[in-house]
Amino acid sequence: MSSNVQAGGIPVLVLREGSNRSRGREAQHANITAAKVVAESVRTALGPKGMEKMLVDSFGDVTITSDGRTILDEMDIQHPAAKMLVEVAKTQDNEAGDGTTSAVIIAGELLNKAEELIDKNVHSTIIIDGYQKAAEKALETLERIAIKVDLKTPDYLKKTAMTSMASKLVADYKEILADIAVKAMLQIAEKEGDKMTVDVDDVKVEKKTGESLKETSLINGIVLDKEIVHSGMPKRVEKAKIALLDASLEIEKTEFDAKINIESPDQIEAFLDQEEVMLKDMAEKIMKAGATVVICQKGIDDMAQHFLSKKGIIAIRRAKKSDMEKLAKATGGKIVTKLDAISSSDLGYAALVEERKIGNDKMTFIEGCKHPKAVTILIRGGTDRITAEAERSLHDALCVIRDIMEEPRVLAGGSAPEIEMSKVIRKFADTLPGKEQLAVRIYAEALETIAVVLTESAGLEPIDIISELRTRHENGETWSGIEVREGKIQDMSKIGVFEPLTVKKQIIKSATEAASMILKIDDVIAAGKMKAPPTPPGGAPGGGYPGMGEY
Ligand SMILES: Nc1ncnc2c1ncn2[C@@H]1O[C@H](COP(=O)(O)OP(=O)(O)OP(=O)(O)O)[C@@H](O)[C@H]1O
Ligand SMILES: [Mg+2]
């Protein structure tokens, strides 16, 4: 399609040369196709019988996962409409922490069905309108059927955490991991009336290869993947007073070159002595403040290490900024940026600081902190890939626990809620006229895709199962769903497959929003590739601007 217009037979150039423009049906089809491809790529990853994806990045690093967001993140997608589905996964993850695969599958299916209607000359605004109305009914239905949960019995928390991990590589250990996740979250939760508020980031997750997932443990405190810097320092300090430093214990090198003219050996010695004095002075300051442990975000000079060790002070260097912040919160200490200003009131407290050997490495445990709401989950596992997937799965588990703590209502899974929503939306469609009815009806069909995918993953024939599920729901069996392990229709609430209401509501919201947004686009104007800016002398070579090229 041309990007130019004709005025009295003379072409007028509106867009930059090389720009690409597509309009109307053509643009819609291209966008829908791209988004469908993305949805297709995560489809088989859904549910406990879903498949894993092996993703290899440009450095050759391998990730094995069935986590929707991770799959899409690693895929390095270029097409702008396809990228919008990646955004769906991100929104879903940020808002609810689980349900990313479902959200993308439903969004893809909403677009797929919309395309069929567009081909039958139904305008996309009618479809978008219908989707909006259907989504409202869906949300109403979820609110109506949701089961209220009493947070005093952590049973639902555990079951929901187990459901979220049932679909992951670590499923065999879901019970052990769910117990740990629930304990961790209960520890950090703050009560506000009958609700709780929690921040998932307060649970620190560390991983160390070796042993098995069974050995994953919960530590009441902070674990640093760091060893004590000097072999002469104690390996264990009780009632530790902890200095948190965001300053280096080194002699700063000046930015400009300086020359020192040395005329006699005495002067060299004096110069070196001077450095030593300065480092010794630093160690003195820390000791005078009363610290028995120093955790430093920057480097510690060998000589400074020596002086600290002589004073029996434990030191750790190059701690991560995020860890420093957690330590400040946990120990009640202040992060000091100028060593000169350190005083005893800046120090944090922990009942025990100890270096322990974990696998082949040493890690430092800071336990019994002043503020007890600091916990660490230390993941163990045979390989890096297992521990990495365990970390992602634990993230989902921690998020669903948080979701329930903040909104204590759950739904049973296995596509029971989707079939129920679909039933209600179909009935609603019957009350609407003509084309609008069609738009609402296809929304109901799109929701059933979750049941189709789960059934297929169990190796069963979807047509029979879906019609059976529909009948059961018509007969008032709200929680009838497909249990994929045994491949049977069951009352999902009786077998403990629970998911937070928050997750399902967010799936509806994110999927509808993304599908509507893509359907609204009927004109795509892409700028031509920009020429690379000239390379400044000695500077990095200029490249094109990624994402702005033709696609
Ligand atoms: N035993 C089970 N039988 C049937 N369905 C189950 C069972 N356990 C979980 N499910 C279903 O599996 C789906 C969740 O699968 P999965 O965790 O792979 O995807 P997601 O939560 O949508 O996305 P992600 O976890 O990748 O963010 C939910 O619909 C849930 O009800
Ligand atoms: Mg999940």
Side-chain angles (χ1 to χ4, degrees):
M1 196 165 276
S2 162
S3 56
N4 307 329
V5 286
Q6 298 271 327
I10 307 161
V12 181
L13 215 60
V14 179
L15 300 171
R16 182 203 291 276
E17 202 181 339
S19 298
N20 205 334
R21 180 172 189 183
S22 65
R23 273 187 278 192
R25 289 259 172 103
E26 190 195 340
Q28 266 177 336
H29 273 298
N31 283 344
I32 291 174
T33 308
K36 266 165 47 181
V37 170
V38 172
E40 202 57 41
S41 66
V42 297
R43 191 178 161 105
T44 56
L46 186 79
K49 289 264 177 141
M51 307 297 280
E52 303 295 320
K53 308 273 168 194
M54 182 187 256
L55 305 152
V56 187
D57 70 10
S58 49
F59 298 105
D61 287 341
V62 175
T63 306
I64 297 175
T65 187
S66 63
D67 187 63
R69 172 168 186 185
T70 312
I71 297 170
L72 296 180
D73 264 356
E74 297 278 328
M75 270 171 51
D76 195 13
I77 286 166
Q78 284 291 323
H79 191 285
K83 272 190 180 161
M84 285 166 77
L85 278 212
V86 182
E87 288 302 314
V88 172
K90 277 195 191 146
T91 316
Q92 182 69 29
D93 197 26
N94 294 341
E95 296 291 324
D98 192 13
T100 57
T101 311
S102 305
V104 174
I105 292 177
I106 293 177
E109 202 51 33
L110 286 173
L111 289 167
N112 187 24
K113 303 264 183 218
E115 195 175 29
E116 290 167 16
L117 277 199
I118 291 171
D119 287 343
K120 288 183 193 148
N121 277 330
V122 179
H123 198 277
S124 45
T125 50
I126 295 181
I127 303 175
I128 294 167
D129 231 35
Y131 279 6
Q132 228 61 46
K133 286 185 182 142
E136 276 166 31
K137 286 283 160 205
L139 292 173
E140 268 171 42
T141 311
L142 293 177
E143 295 276 353
R144 178 173 54 79
I145 62 174
I147 304 163
K148 227 176 151 19
V149 166
D150 182 2
L151 289 178
K152 285 193 199 88
T153 51
D155 200 38
Y156 277 106
L157 296 180
K158 181 174 166 184
K159 284 186 177 143
T160 315
M162 278 168 66
T163 303
S164 80
M165 289 188 285
S167 49
K168 310 286 176 206
L169 204 62
V170 299
D172 287 348
Y173 300 93
K174 61 177 192 263
E175 178 145 22
I176 300 172
L177 296 177
D179 272 330
I180 291 177
V182 171
K183 262 195 211 145
M185 292 297 277
L186 284 174
Q187 175 112 1
I188 61 156
E190 312 260 2
K191 274 218 174 84
E192 271 176 28
D194 51 353
K195 281 219 178 125
M196 291 186 182
T197 53
V198 265
D199 184 354
V200 171
D201 288 339
D202 282 350
V203 179
K204 183 170 178 335
V205 179
E206 273 293 343
K207 44 191 194 295
K208 190 58 67 196
T209 313
E211 304 276 348
S212 111
L213 281 169
K214 268 205 304 269
E215 261 62 48
T216 297
S217 57
L218 177 66
I219 291 109
N220 251 328
I222 305 271
V223 179
L224 299 176
D225 192 4
K226 296 273 166 200
E227 55 182 308
I228 291 171
V229 289
H230 193 278
S231 57
M233 290 175 179
K235 298 288 172 230
R236 176 189 167 95
V237 169
E238 283 177 26
K239 295 188 184 147
K241 297 223 171 121
I242 305 168
L244 301 169
L245 279 188
D246 180 13
S248 71
L249 295 179
E250 290 167 327
I251 305 292
E252 302 255 342
K253 303 274 178 288
T254 49
E255 290 215 346
F256 43 87
D257 287 334
K259 260 192 199 148
I260 304 169
N261 287 326
I262 289 172
E263 280 155 11
S264 73
D266 293 355
Q267 283 177 327
I268 298 186
E269 207 145 297
F271 180 69
L272 292 177
D273 280 353
Q274 184 58 30
E275 270 201 13
E276 204 176 308
V277 168
M278 285 163 78
L279 290 166
K280 195 169 181 181
D281 188 44
M282 289 179 182
E284 293 282 329
K285 279 185 186 132
I286 290 167
M287 193 196 68
K288 281 216 182 98
T292 50
V293 174
V294 188
I295 299 173
C296 188
Q297 203 176 321
K298 306 219 163 113
I300 305 179
D301 187 277
D302 288 353
M303 191 64 82
Q305 293 177 19
H306 166 76
F307 288 127
L308 288 168
S309 91
K310 280 215 323 213
K311 296 181 193 312
I313 296 174
I314 286 181
I316 284 167
R317 67 175 164 185
R318 305 210 183 282
K320 278 192 264 169
K321 186 166 189 276
S322 57
D323 284 347
M324 294 296 283
E325 282 157 9
K326 286 203 174 83
L327 281 165
K329 196 168 169 187
T331 64
K334 273 199 216 107
I335 300 174
V336 175
T337 48
K338 280 220 169 343
L339 190 57
D340 287 336
I342 195 166
S343 78
S344 61
S345 63
D346 297 323
L347 305 180
Y349 174 83
L352 176 68
V353 174
E354 186 176 34
E355 180 189 88
R356 290 176 203 152
K357 196 152 187 265
I358 304 291
N360 292 327
D361 295 314
K362 290 169 185 158
M363 297 179 100
T364 304
F365 289 65
I366 295 129
E367 294 177 341
C369 297
K370 195 172 192 174
H371 181 63
K373 293 193 185 300
V375 293
T376 306
I377 297 177
L378 179 56
I379 299 176
R380 305 303 314 275
T383 67
D384 289 352
R385 277 165 212 146
I386 299 268
T387 51
E389 180 66 353
E391 186 178 18
R392 285 189 287 271
S393 310
L394 258 178
H395 164 78
D396 285 18
L398 295 171
C399 285
V400 295
I401 296 168
R402 173 206 56 199
D403 291 343
I404 302 181
M405 283 177 160
E406 294 186 347
E407 159 88 84
R409 283 191 293 168
V410 296
L411 300 159
S415 79
E418 284 82 0
I419 300 284
E420 187 69 17
M421 286 187 279
S422 174
K423 177 186 91 180
V424 174
I425 294 169
R426 263 208 191 82
K427 288 211 173 106
F428 169 61
D430 290 342
T431 65
L432 298 171
K435 288 180 175 173
E436 219 175 315
Q437 180 181 117
L438 293 178
V440 173
R441 193 172 286 278
I442 56 171
Y443 193 100
E445 286 168 20
L447 289 178
E448 284 180 345
T449 313
I450 297 297
V452 173
V453 178
L454 286 175
T455 312
E456 280 171 353
S457 76
L460 300 169
E461 182 49 60
I463 297 178
D464 304 340
I465 303 274
I466 305 290
S467 73
E468 170 81 20
L469 280 173
R470 278 187 192 161
T471 316
R472 290 195 185 214
H473 279 255
E474 277 302 331
N475 295 338
E477 292 182 29
T478 310
W479 299 121
S480 266
I482 171 84
E483 205 293 312
V484 292
R485 289 187 186 280
E486 291 183 26
K488 277 201 306 222
I489 291 181
Q490 299 229 19
D491 181 329
M492 301 304 286
S493 66
K494 296 226 169 85
I495 51 171
V497 176
F498 290 111
E499 293 171 282
L501 173 64
T502 313
V503 170
K504 277 276 155 26
K505 280 200 319 199
Q506 188 60 43
I507 290 174
I508 297 293
K509 286 183 209 160
S510 1
T512 312
E513 201 176 300
S516 306
M517 195 127 72
I518 292 175
L519 285 174
K520 261 187 203 148
I521 301 166
D522 78 337
D523 200 348
V524 178
I525 306 163
K529 276 205 176 75
M530 281 206 187
K531 288 210 178 75
T535 313
Y545 290 91
M548 289 199 65
E550 295 166 11
Y551 47 85

